Amino acid sequence: MPLVTYLLEKGYTQQEFATLLGVHQSAVSKWLQGDSRPSWNIIAKIKQITDGKVTADSFLELPTYMEADE
């Protein structure tokens, strides 16, 4: 599940989720915009906080050529 979907379903603001993770709100914003990805340590925390609903795969984008093949 994408992080944005999880946040909307749970009613979390970016600031609230950032506080749970111990990061700045701007980091969460950058992840949601696709401008950056969280570190592996933060991804592990995200997975734990979301009960496994948001995983590392949620932050990966397939190259366009791979999407066309499927």
Side-chain angles (χ1 to χ4, degrees):
M1 160 186 302
L3 179 57
V4 66
T5 302
Y6 180 83
L7 296 179
L8 290 170
E9 284 185 4
K10 295 296 182 178
Y12 282 125
T13 64
Q14 291 180 20
Q15 182 60 56
E16 290 168 333
F17 197 70
T19 299
L20 289 173
L21 291 171
V23 299
H24 291 282
Q25 176 273 330
S26 60
V28 176
S29 177
K30 289 177 183 178
W31 303 336
L32 294 174
Q33 294 174 23
D35 292 338
S36 68
R37 294 183 186 139
S39 68
W40 289 112
N41 290 338
I42 296 297
I43 287 174
K45 286 183 183 181
I46 292 170
K47 185 176 177 183
Q48 180 182 20
I49 288 170
T50 64
D51 294 323
K53 292 180 181 173
V54 180
T55 65
D57 290 347
S58 302
F59 299 98
L60 301 177
E61 292 182 4
L62 291 176
T64 305
Y65 69 88
M66 290 184 76
E67 292 174 2
D69 290 343
E70 302 204 351

Short mmCIF file of all heavy atoms in Angstrom, two decimals:
data_model
loop_
_atom_site.label_atom_id
_atom_site.label_comp_id
_atom_site.label_asym_id
_atom_site.label_seq_id
_atom_site.Cartn_x
_atom_site.Cartn_y
_atom_site.Cartn_z
N MET A 1 0.84 -1.17 0.00
CA MET A 1 0.00 0.00 0.00
C MET A 1 0.90 1.24 0.00
O MET A 1 1.85 1.31 0.77
CB MET A 1 -0.89 -0.03 1.25
CG MET A 1 -1.48 1.28 1.66
SD MET A 1 -2.41 1.28 3.23
CE MET A 1 -3.65 0.05 2.94
N PRO A 2 0.60 2.20 -0.84
CA PRO A 2 1.39 3.44 -0.82
C PRO A 2 1.23 4.18 0.51
O PRO A 2 0.17 4.12 1.15
CB PRO A 2 0.79 4.26 -1.96
CG PRO A 2 0.08 3.27 -2.83
CD PRO A 2 -0.38 2.17 -1.91
N LEU A 3 2.27 4.88 0.89
CA LEU A 3 2.23 5.62 2.15
C LEU A 3 1.09 6.62 2.17
O LEU A 3 0.39 6.76 3.18
CB LEU A 3 3.57 6.33 2.39
CG LEU A 3 3.67 7.16 3.66
CD1 LEU A 3 3.39 6.32 4.90
CD2 LEU A 3 5.05 7.81 3.75
N VAL A 4 0.86 7.31 1.07
CA VAL A 4 -0.21 8.31 1.03
C VAL A 4 -1.56 7.68 1.33
O VAL A 4 -2.39 8.25 2.04
CB VAL A 4 -0.21 9.09 -0.30
CG1 VAL A 4 -0.58 8.19 -1.48
CG2 VAL A 4 -1.16 10.27 -0.22
N THR A 5 -1.80 6.49 0.81
CA THR A 5 -3.06 5.78 1.06
C THR A 5 -3.19 5.45 2.54
O THR A 5 -4.25 5.63 3.14
CB THR A 5 -3.14 4.50 0.21
OG1 THR A 5 -3.00 4.86 -1.16
CG2 THR A 5 -4.45 3.77 0.43
N TYR A 6 -2.12 4.97 3.13
CA TYR A 6 -2.13 4.63 4.55
C TYR A 6 -2.44 5.87 5.39
O TYR A 6 -3.28 5.83 6.30
CB TYR A 6 -0.80 4.02 4.98
CG TYR A 6 -0.77 3.67 6.44
CD1 TYR A 6 -1.31 2.47 6.88
CD2 TYR A 6 -0.23 4.54 7.38
CE1 TYR A 6 -1.32 2.14 8.23
CE2 TYR A 6 -0.22 4.22 8.73
CZ TYR A 6 -0.78 3.02 9.15
OH TYR A 6 -0.78 2.71 10.48
N LEU A 7 -1.77 6.98 5.09
CA LEU A 7 -1.99 8.20 5.86
C LEU A 7 -3.44 8.67 5.76
O LEU A 7 -4.04 9.07 6.75
CB LEU A 7 -1.04 9.31 5.39
CG LEU A 7 0.45 9.06 5.61
CD1 LEU A 7 1.26 10.23 5.08
CD2 LEU A 7 0.77 8.80 7.07
N LEU A 8 -3.99 8.59 4.55
CA LEU A 8 -5.39 9.00 4.37
C LEU A 8 -6.35 8.08 5.11
O LEU A 8 -7.29 8.55 5.76
CB LEU A 8 -5.73 9.04 2.88
CG LEU A 8 -5.08 10.16 2.07
CD1 LEU A 8 -5.31 9.96 0.58
CD2 LEU A 8 -5.61 11.52 2.52
N GLU A 9 -6.12 6.78 5.02
CA GLU A 9 -6.99 5.82 5.69
C GLU A 9 -6.98 5.99 7.21
O GLU A 9 -8.00 5.85 7.87
CB GLU A 9 -6.61 4.38 5.34
CG GLU A 9 -7.05 3.96 3.98
CD GLU A 9 -6.75 2.49 3.69
OE1 GLU A 9 -6.26 1.77 4.59
OE2 GLU A 9 -7.01 2.06 2.55
N LYS A 10 -5.80 6.27 7.75
CA LYS A 10 -5.66 6.39 9.21
C LYS A 10 -5.90 7.82 9.70
O LYS A 10 -5.99 8.05 10.90
CB LYS A 10 -4.26 5.93 9.65
CG LYS A 10 -4.02 4.47 9.41
CD LYS A 10 -4.96 3.62 10.24
CE LYS A 10 -4.70 2.15 10.05
NZ LYS A 10 -5.56 1.31 10.87
N GLY A 11 -5.99 8.77 8.78
CA GLY A 11 -6.22 10.15 9.17
C GLY A 11 -5.00 10.85 9.75
O GLY A 11 -5.13 11.84 10.47
N TYR A 12 -3.81 10.33 9.45
CA TYR A 12 -2.58 10.96 9.93
C TYR A 12 -2.21 12.15 9.06
O TYR A 12 -2.32 12.10 7.83
CB TYR A 12 -1.39 9.99 9.85
CG TYR A 12 -1.32 8.95 10.94
CD1 TYR A 12 -1.25 7.61 10.61
CD2 TYR A 12 -1.28 9.31 12.28
CE1 TYR A 12 -1.16 6.64 11.59
CE2 TYR A 12 -1.18 8.33 13.26
CZ TYR A 12 -1.13 7.01 12.92
OH TYR A 12 -1.03 6.05 13.89
N THR A 13 -1.71 13.20 9.69
CA THR A 13 -1.09 14.28 8.93
C THR A 13 0.37 13.89 8.70
O THR A 13 0.89 12.98 9.36
CB THR A 13 -1.13 15.61 9.71
OG1 THR A 13 -0.33 15.48 10.89
CG2 THR A 13 -2.56 16.02 10.05
N GLN A 14 1.00 14.59 7.80
CA GLN A 14 2.42 14.33 7.57
C GLN A 14 3.20 14.58 8.86
O GLN A 14 4.11 13.82 9.19
CB GLN A 14 2.96 15.23 6.47
CG GLN A 14 2.44 14.90 5.10
CD GLN A 14 3.00 15.81 4.04
OE1 GLN A 14 4.03 16.45 4.21
NE2 GLN A 14 2.31 15.90 2.91
N GLN A 15 2.85 15.64 9.59
CA GLN A 15 3.56 15.96 10.83
C GLN A 15 3.39 14.87 11.88
O GLN A 15 4.34 14.48 12.55
CB GLN A 15 3.07 17.30 11.39
CG GLN A 15 3.80 17.71 12.66
CD GLN A 15 5.31 17.85 12.46
OE1 GLN A 15 5.74 18.61 11.60
NE2 GLN A 15 6.09 17.12 13.23
N GLU A 16 2.17 14.35 12.03
CA GLU A 16 1.93 13.30 13.01
C GLU A 16 2.74 12.05 12.68
O GLU A 16 3.34 11.43 13.57
CB GLU A 16 0.44 12.94 13.06
CG GLU A 16 -0.42 14.03 13.68
CD GLU A 16 -1.90 13.80 13.47
OE1 GLU A 16 -2.30 13.14 12.48
OE2 GLU A 16 -2.68 14.32 14.29
N PHE A 17 2.76 11.67 11.40
CA PHE A 17 3.51 10.48 11.01
C PHE A 17 5.00 10.71 11.17
O PHE A 17 5.72 9.82 11.64
CB PHE A 17 3.15 10.08 9.58
CG PHE A 17 3.55 8.68 9.25
CD1 PHE A 17 2.89 7.60 9.81
CD2 PHE A 17 4.60 8.42 8.37
CE1 PHE A 17 3.27 6.29 9.53
CE2 PHE A 17 4.98 7.13 8.07
CZ PHE A 17 4.31 6.05 8.64
N ALA A 18 5.46 11.90 10.83
CA ALA A 18 6.88 12.23 10.99
C ALA A 18 7.29 12.13 12.46
O ALA A 18 8.36 11.60 12.77
CB ALA A 18 7.15 13.63 10.46
N THR A 19 6.43 12.59 13.35
CA THR A 19 6.72 12.51 14.78
C THR A 19 6.84 11.07 15.24
O THR A 19 7.74 10.72 16.01
CB THR A 19 5.63 13.25 15.58
OG1 THR A 19 5.63 14.63 15.18
CG2 THR A 19 5.88 13.16 17.07
N LEU A 20 5.96 10.20 14.74
CA LEU A 20 6.04 8.78 15.08
C LEU A 20 7.38 8.17 14.66
O LEU A 20 7.93 7.31 15.34
CB LEU A 20 4.91 7.99 14.41
CG LEU A 20 3.50 8.20 14.95
CD1 LEU A 20 2.49 7.48 14.05
CD2 LEU A 20 3.40 7.70 16.37
N LEU A 21 7.88 8.64 13.51
CA LEU A 21 9.14 8.10 12.97
C LEU A 21 10.38 8.79 13.52
O LEU A 21 11.48 8.28 13.38
CB LEU A 21 9.15 8.26 11.44
CG LEU A 21 8.18 7.39 10.66
CD1 LEU A 21 8.16 7.82 9.20
CD2 LEU A 21 8.56 5.93 10.78
N GLY A 22 10.19 9.98 14.09
CA GLY A 22 11.34 10.74 14.57
C GLY A 22 12.08 11.45 13.45
O GLY A 22 13.30 11.61 13.50
N VAL A 23 11.32 11.87 12.43
CA VAL A 23 11.91 12.61 11.31
C VAL A 23 11.15 13.93 11.15
O VAL A 23 10.11 14.15 11.76
CB VAL A 23 11.84 11.81 9.99
CG1 VAL A 23 12.61 10.51 10.11
CG2 VAL A 23 10.41 11.55 9.55
N HIS A 24 11.68 14.80 10.30
CA HIS A 24 11.01 16.06 10.01
C HIS A 24 9.85 15.84 9.04
O HIS A 24 9.89 14.93 8.19
CB HIS A 24 11.99 17.06 9.39
CG HIS A 24 13.03 17.53 10.35
ND1 HIS A 24 12.78 18.48 11.32
CD2 HIS A 24 14.33 17.19 10.49
CE1 HIS A 24 13.88 18.69 12.01
NE2 HIS A 24 14.83 17.90 11.54
N GLN A 25 8.85 16.67 9.15
CA GLN A 25 7.69 16.61 8.25
C GLN A 25 8.13 16.76 6.80
O GLN A 25 7.57 16.14 5.91
CB GLN A 25 6.68 17.71 8.64
CG GLN A 25 5.48 17.81 7.72
CD GLN A 25 5.74 18.72 6.52
OE1 GLN A 25 6.50 19.67 6.60
NE2 GLN A 25 5.10 18.41 5.42
N SER A 26 9.15 17.56 6.56
CA SER A 26 9.62 17.78 5.19
C SER A 26 10.12 16.48 4.56
O SER A 26 9.99 16.29 3.35
CB SER A 26 10.71 18.85 5.14
OG SER A 26 11.83 18.46 5.92
N ALA A 27 10.66 15.57 5.37
CA ALA A 27 11.11 14.28 4.84
C ALA A 27 9.92 13.48 4.34
O ALA A 27 9.95 12.91 3.24
CB ALA A 27 11.87 13.49 5.90
N VAL A 28 8.85 13.44 5.13
CA VAL A 28 7.64 12.72 4.73
C VAL A 28 7.07 13.33 3.45
O VAL A 28 6.69 12.62 2.52
CB VAL A 28 6.59 12.72 5.86
CG1 VAL A 28 5.30 12.06 5.41
CG2 VAL A 28 7.14 12.02 7.10
N SER A 29 7.06 14.64 3.39
CA SER A 29 6.57 15.33 2.19
C SER A 29 7.37 14.93 0.95
O SER A 29 6.80 14.65 -0.11
CB SER A 29 6.65 16.84 2.40
OG SER A 29 6.24 17.53 1.24
N LYS A 30 8.68 14.88 1.08
CA LYS A 30 9.54 14.50 -0.06
C LYS A 30 9.29 13.06 -0.49
O LYS A 30 9.31 12.76 -1.68
CB LYS A 30 11.01 14.70 0.29
CG LYS A 30 11.40 16.16 0.37
CD LYS A 30 12.84 16.32 0.79
CE LYS A 30 13.18 17.79 0.92
NZ LYS A 30 14.56 18.01 1.36
N TRP A 31 9.04 12.16 0.48
CA TRP A 31 8.73 10.77 0.13
C TRP A 31 7.42 10.71 -0.65
O TRP A 31 7.32 9.99 -1.64
CB TRP A 31 8.60 9.90 1.36
CG TRP A 31 9.79 9.89 2.26
CD1 TRP A 31 11.10 10.17 1.93
CD2 TRP A 31 9.79 9.60 3.64
NE1 TRP A 31 11.89 10.06 3.04
CE2 TRP A 31 11.12 9.72 4.11
CE3 TRP A 31 8.80 9.26 4.56
CZ2 TRP A 31 11.48 9.49 5.43
CZ3 TRP A 31 9.16 9.02 5.88
CH2 TRP A 31 10.48 9.15 6.31
N LEU A 32 6.43 11.45 -0.18
CA LEU A 32 5.11 11.42 -0.82
C LEU A 32 5.16 12.00 -2.23
O LEU A 32 4.42 11.56 -3.11
CB LEU A 32 4.08 12.17 0.04
CG LEU A 32 3.77 11.54 1.39
CD1 LEU A 32 2.87 12.46 2.20
CD2 LEU A 32 3.14 10.17 1.23
N GLN A 33 6.02 12.98 -2.44
CA GLN A 33 6.16 13.60 -3.76
C GLN A 33 7.07 12.80 -4.68
O GLN A 33 7.15 13.08 -5.87
CB GLN A 33 6.71 15.02 -3.62
CG GLN A 33 5.75 15.96 -2.92
CD GLN A 33 6.38 17.32 -2.68
OE1 GLN A 33 7.31 17.73 -3.35
NE2 GLN A 33 5.87 18.03 -1.69
N GLY A 34 7.77 11.82 -4.12
CA GLY A 34 8.69 11.03 -4.92
C GLY A 34 10.02 11.70 -5.14
O GLY A 34 10.82 11.29 -5.98
N ASP A 35 10.30 12.76 -4.36
CA ASP A 35 11.57 13.48 -4.50
C ASP A 35 12.72 12.76 -3.81
O ASP A 35 13.88 13.00 -4.13
CB ASP A 35 11.45 14.89 -3.92
CG ASP A 35 10.51 15.76 -4.75
OD1 ASP A 35 10.29 15.45 -5.94
OD2 ASP A 35 10.00 16.76 -4.20
N SER A 36 12.41 11.92 -2.84
CA SER A 36 13.44 11.13 -2.16
C SER A 36 12.79 9.88 -1.58
O SER A 36 11.56 9.74 -1.61
CB SER A 36 14.12 11.94 -1.05
OG SER A 36 13.22 12.19 0.00
N ARG A 37 13.63 9.01 -1.09
CA ARG A 37 13.15 7.78 -0.45
C ARG A 37 13.71 7.71 0.95
O ARG A 37 14.82 8.17 1.21
CB ARG A 37 13.64 6.55 -1.22
CG ARG A 37 13.05 6.45 -2.60
CD ARG A 37 13.51 5.17 -3.27
NE ARG A 37 13.05 5.16 -4.64
CZ ARG A 37 13.76 4.75 -5.66
NH1 ARG A 37 14.98 4.30 -5.47
NH2 ARG A 37 13.27 4.77 -6.88
N PRO A 38 12.97 7.08 1.86
CA PRO A 38 13.51 6.92 3.22
C PRO A 38 14.66 5.93 3.24
O PRO A 38 14.78 5.08 2.36
CB PRO A 38 12.31 6.39 4.01
CG PRO A 38 11.33 5.88 3.01
CD PRO A 38 11.62 6.55 1.72
N SER A 39 15.48 6.05 4.28
CA SER A 39 16.58 5.10 4.45
C SER A 39 16.01 3.74 4.83
O SER A 39 14.84 3.61 5.20
CB SER A 39 17.51 5.59 5.58
OG SER A 39 16.82 5.52 6.82
N TRP A 40 16.85 2.73 4.76
CA TRP A 40 16.40 1.38 5.12
C TRP A 40 15.94 1.32 6.57
O TRP A 40 14.97 0.63 6.89
CB TRP A 40 17.51 0.36 4.86
CG TRP A 40 17.75 0.13 3.41
CD1 TRP A 40 18.86 0.48 2.70
CD2 TRP A 40 16.85 -0.47 2.46
NE1 TRP A 40 18.70 0.13 1.37
CE2 TRP A 40 17.47 -0.46 1.20
CE3 TRP A 40 15.57 -1.00 2.56
CZ2 TRP A 40 16.87 -0.95 0.06
CZ3 TRP A 40 14.96 -1.50 1.41
CH2 TRP A 40 15.61 -1.48 0.19
N ASN A 41 16.62 2.03 7.44
CA ASN A 41 16.21 2.04 8.86
C ASN A 41 14.82 2.65 9.02
O ASN A 41 14.00 2.14 9.79
CB ASN A 41 17.21 2.82 9.71
CG ASN A 41 18.53 2.10 9.85
OD1 ASN A 41 18.62 0.89 9.67
ND2 ASN A 41 19.57 2.84 10.16
N ILE A 42 14.56 3.71 8.30
CA ILE A 42 13.25 4.36 8.39
C ILE A 42 12.19 3.48 7.73
O ILE A 42 11.06 3.37 8.23
CB ILE A 42 13.29 5.77 7.75
CG1 ILE A 42 14.23 6.68 8.55
CG2 ILE A 42 11.90 6.37 7.67
CD1 ILE A 42 13.82 6.94 9.98
N ILE A 43 12.53 2.83 6.64
CA ILE A 43 11.57 1.91 6.00
C ILE A 43 11.17 0.81 6.98
O ILE A 43 10.00 0.44 7.06
CB ILE A 43 12.14 1.33 4.69
CG1 ILE A 43 12.15 2.42 3.61
CG2 ILE A 43 11.32 0.13 4.22
CD1 ILE A 43 12.82 2.03 2.32
N ALA A 44 12.13 0.30 7.73
CA ALA A 44 11.82 -0.73 8.74
C ALA A 44 10.85 -0.18 9.79
O ALA A 44 9.91 -0.86 10.20
CB ALA A 44 13.10 -1.23 9.39
N LYS A 45 11.05 1.08 10.20
CA LYS A 45 10.14 1.70 11.17
C LYS A 45 8.76 1.89 10.56
O LYS A 45 7.75 1.68 11.24
CB LYS A 45 10.69 3.06 11.63
CG LYS A 45 11.85 2.98 12.57
CD LYS A 45 12.25 4.38 13.02
CE LYS A 45 13.44 4.37 13.92
NZ LYS A 45 13.81 5.75 14.35
N ILE A 46 8.72 2.33 9.31
CA ILE A 46 7.43 2.52 8.63
C ILE A 46 6.67 1.21 8.57
O ILE A 46 5.48 1.15 8.86
CB ILE A 46 7.64 3.12 7.22
CG1 ILE A 46 8.15 4.56 7.32
CG2 ILE A 46 6.35 3.05 6.40
CD1 ILE A 46 8.60 5.15 5.99
N LYS A 47 7.37 0.15 8.20
CA LYS A 47 6.74 -1.17 8.12
C LYS A 47 6.19 -1.58 9.48
O LYS A 47 5.07 -2.09 9.59
CB LYS A 47 7.74 -2.20 7.60
CG LYS A 47 7.13 -3.56 7.39
CD LYS A 47 8.14 -4.53 6.78
CE LYS A 47 7.53 -5.91 6.64
NZ LYS A 47 8.51 -6.88 6.13
N GLN A 48 6.94 -1.33 10.53
CA GLN A 48 6.50 -1.68 11.88
C GLN A 48 5.30 -0.85 12.30
O GLN A 48 4.30 -1.39 12.78
CB GLN A 48 7.64 -1.48 12.87
CG GLN A 48 7.28 -1.83 14.29
CD GLN A 48 8.43 -1.58 15.25
OE1 GLN A 48 9.35 -0.83 14.96
NE2 GLN A 48 8.37 -2.21 16.40
N ILE A 49 5.37 0.45 12.11
CA ILE A 49 4.28 1.35 12.53
C ILE A 49 2.99 1.05 11.77
O ILE A 49 1.90 1.14 12.33
CB ILE A 49 4.70 2.82 12.32
CG1 ILE A 49 5.75 3.21 13.36
CG2 ILE A 49 3.50 3.76 12.40
CD1 ILE A 49 6.41 4.55 13.11
N THR A 50 3.12 0.66 10.50
CA THR A 50 1.93 0.42 9.67
C THR A 50 1.49 -1.04 9.70
O THR A 50 0.65 -1.45 8.90
CB THR A 50 2.19 0.85 8.21
OG1 THR A 50 3.23 0.03 7.65
CG2 THR A 50 2.56 2.31 8.11
N ASP A 51 2.04 -1.82 10.60
CA ASP A 51 1.72 -3.25 10.70
C ASP A 51 1.95 -3.98 9.38
O ASP A 51 1.16 -4.83 8.98
CB ASP A 51 0.29 -3.46 11.18
CG ASP A 51 0.08 -2.99 12.61
OD1 ASP A 51 1.00 -3.17 13.43
OD2 ASP A 51 -0.99 -2.43 12.90
N GLY A 52 3.01 -3.58 8.68
CA GLY A 52 3.39 -4.25 7.44
C GLY A 52 2.61 -3.83 6.21
O GLY A 52 2.81 -4.38 5.13
N LYS A 53 1.75 -2.84 6.34
CA LYS A 53 0.95 -2.41 5.18
C LYS A 53 1.76 -1.57 4.21
O LYS A 53 1.48 -1.58 3.01
CB LYS A 53 -0.28 -1.64 5.65
CG LYS A 53 -1.27 -2.51 6.38
CD LYS A 53 -2.47 -1.73 6.83
CE LYS A 53 -3.42 -2.66 7.60
NZ LYS A 53 -4.53 -1.93 8.19
N VAL A 54 2.73 -0.83 4.70
CA VAL A 54 3.61 -0.03 3.85
C VAL A 54 5.00 -0.63 3.94
O VAL A 54 5.58 -0.69 5.02
CB VAL A 54 3.63 1.46 4.27
CG1 VAL A 54 4.54 2.26 3.37
CG2 VAL A 54 2.21 2.04 4.27
N THR A 55 5.51 -1.11 2.83
CA THR A 55 6.81 -1.79 2.79
C THR A 55 7.76 -1.04 1.86
O THR A 55 7.39 -0.05 1.24
CB THR A 55 6.66 -3.23 2.29
OG1 THR A 55 6.21 -3.19 0.93
CG2 THR A 55 5.68 -4.02 3.15
N ALA A 56 8.97 -1.56 1.75
CA ALA A 56 9.97 -0.94 0.87
C ALA A 56 9.46 -0.85 -0.57
O ALA A 56 9.75 0.11 -1.28
CB ALA A 56 11.27 -1.73 0.92
N ASP A 57 8.69 -1.85 -0.99
CA ASP A 57 8.16 -1.84 -2.36
C ASP A 57 7.32 -0.61 -2.64
O ASP A 57 7.21 -0.16 -3.77
CB ASP A 57 7.31 -3.09 -2.61
CG ASP A 57 8.13 -4.35 -2.69
OD1 ASP A 57 9.37 -4.26 -2.79
OD2 ASP A 57 7.54 -5.43 -2.65
N SER A 58 6.73 -0.05 -1.59
CA SER A 58 5.88 1.12 -1.75
C SER A 58 6.67 2.33 -2.23
O SER A 58 6.08 3.28 -2.75
CB SER A 58 5.20 1.47 -0.43
OG SER A 58 4.44 0.39 0.04
N PHE A 59 7.97 2.32 -2.06
CA PHE A 59 8.81 3.46 -2.42
C PHE A 59 9.58 3.24 -3.72
O PHE A 59 10.37 4.08 -4.12
CB PHE A 59 9.78 3.78 -1.28
CG PHE A 59 9.07 4.15 -0.02
CD1 PHE A 59 8.86 3.22 0.98
CD2 PHE A 59 8.57 5.43 0.16
CE1 PHE A 59 8.18 3.56 2.14
CE2 PHE A 59 7.89 5.79 1.31
CZ PHE A 59 7.70 4.84 2.30
N LEU A 60 9.34 2.10 -4.37
CA LEU A 60 10.02 1.80 -5.62
C LEU A 60 9.11 2.06 -6.81
O LEU A 60 7.92 1.77 -6.76
CB LEU A 60 10.45 0.32 -5.65
CG LEU A 60 11.38 -0.12 -4.54
CD1 LEU A 60 11.64 -1.61 -4.65
CD2 LEU A 60 12.67 0.66 -4.57
N GLU A 61 9.66 2.61 -7.84
CA GLU A 61 8.91 2.81 -9.07
C GLU A 61 9.57 2.00 -10.18
O GLU A 61 10.79 2.03 -10.32
CB GLU A 61 8.90 4.28 -9.47
CG GLU A 61 8.12 5.15 -8.54
CD GLU A 61 8.09 6.60 -9.00
OE1 GLU A 61 8.61 6.89 -10.07
OE2 GLU A 61 7.57 7.42 -8.26
N LEU A 62 8.76 1.27 -10.90
CA LEU A 62 9.30 0.52 -12.03
C LEU A 62 9.63 1.47 -13.17
O LEU A 62 8.88 2.41 -13.42
CB LEU A 62 8.28 -0.50 -12.54
CG LEU A 62 7.98 -1.68 -11.63
CD1 LEU A 62 6.87 -2.53 -12.24
CD2 LEU A 62 9.22 -2.52 -11.43
N PRO A 63 10.72 1.22 -13.87
CA PRO A 63 11.00 2.02 -15.07
C PRO A 63 9.85 1.86 -16.06
O PRO A 63 9.19 0.81 -16.12
CB PRO A 63 12.29 1.41 -15.62
CG PRO A 63 12.89 0.68 -14.47
CD PRO A 63 11.75 0.24 -13.60
N THR A 64 9.60 2.88 -16.86
CA THR A 64 8.49 2.87 -17.80
C THR A 64 8.52 1.66 -18.72
O THR A 64 7.48 1.06 -18.99
CB THR A 64 8.51 4.17 -18.64
OG1 THR A 64 8.52 5.27 -17.76
CG2 THR A 64 7.30 4.26 -19.55
N TYR A 65 9.70 1.25 -19.18
CA TYR A 65 9.78 0.12 -20.11
C TYR A 65 9.32 -1.18 -19.44
O TYR A 65 8.79 -2.06 -20.10
CB TYR A 65 11.19 -0.04 -20.69
CG TYR A 65 12.23 -0.49 -19.70
CD1 TYR A 65 12.47 -1.83 -19.47
CD2 TYR A 65 12.99 0.43 -19.00
CE1 TYR A 65 13.43 -2.26 -18.56
CE2 TYR A 65 13.96 0.03 -18.09
CZ TYR A 65 14.16 -1.32 -17.87
OH TYR A 65 15.11 -1.72 -16.97
N MET A 66 9.48 -1.31 -18.15
CA MET A 66 9.05 -2.53 -17.46
C MET A 66 7.53 -2.54 -17.31
O MET A 66 6.90 -3.58 -17.39
CB MET A 66 9.72 -2.65 -16.09
CG MET A 66 11.20 -2.94 -16.19
SD MET A 66 11.95 -3.20 -14.59
CE MET A 66 11.37 -4.85 -14.22
N GLU A 67 6.93 -1.39 -17.09
CA GLU A 67 5.49 -1.32 -16.96
C GLU A 67 4.82 -1.71 -18.27
O GLU A 67 3.79 -2.36 -18.28
CB GLU A 67 5.06 0.10 -16.55
CG GLU A 67 5.50 0.46 -15.14
CD GLU A 67 5.21 1.89 -14.79
OE1 GLU A 67 4.64 2.62 -15.63
OE2 GLU A 67 5.57 2.30 -13.68
N ALA A 68 5.40 -1.34 -19.38
CA ALA A 68 4.83 -1.64 -20.69
C ALA A 68 4.86 -3.12 -21.00
O ALA A 68 4.00 -3.63 -21.71
CB ALA A 68 5.57 -0.86 -21.78
N ASP A 69 5.86 -3.84 -20.46
CA ASP A 69 5.99 -5.26 -20.73
C ASP A 69 4.94 -6.09 -20.01
O ASP A 69 4.67 -7.22 -20.38
CB ASP A 69 7.38 -5.77 -20.33
CG ASP A 69 8.46 -5.24 -21.26
OD1 ASP A 69 8.12 -4.76 -22.35
OD2 ASP A 69 9.62 -5.29 -20.87
N GLU A 70 4.36 -5.55 -18.97
CA GLU A 70 3.43 -6.35 -18.17
C GLU A 70 2.04 -6.03 -18.50
O GLU A 70 1.22 -6.07 -19.08
CB GLU A 70 3.65 -6.08 -16.70
CG GLU A 70 5.06 -6.40 -16.34
CD GLU A 70 5.23 -6.72 -14.87
OE1 GLU A 70 4.31 -6.54 -14.09
OE2 GLU A 70 6.32 -7.19 -14.55
#
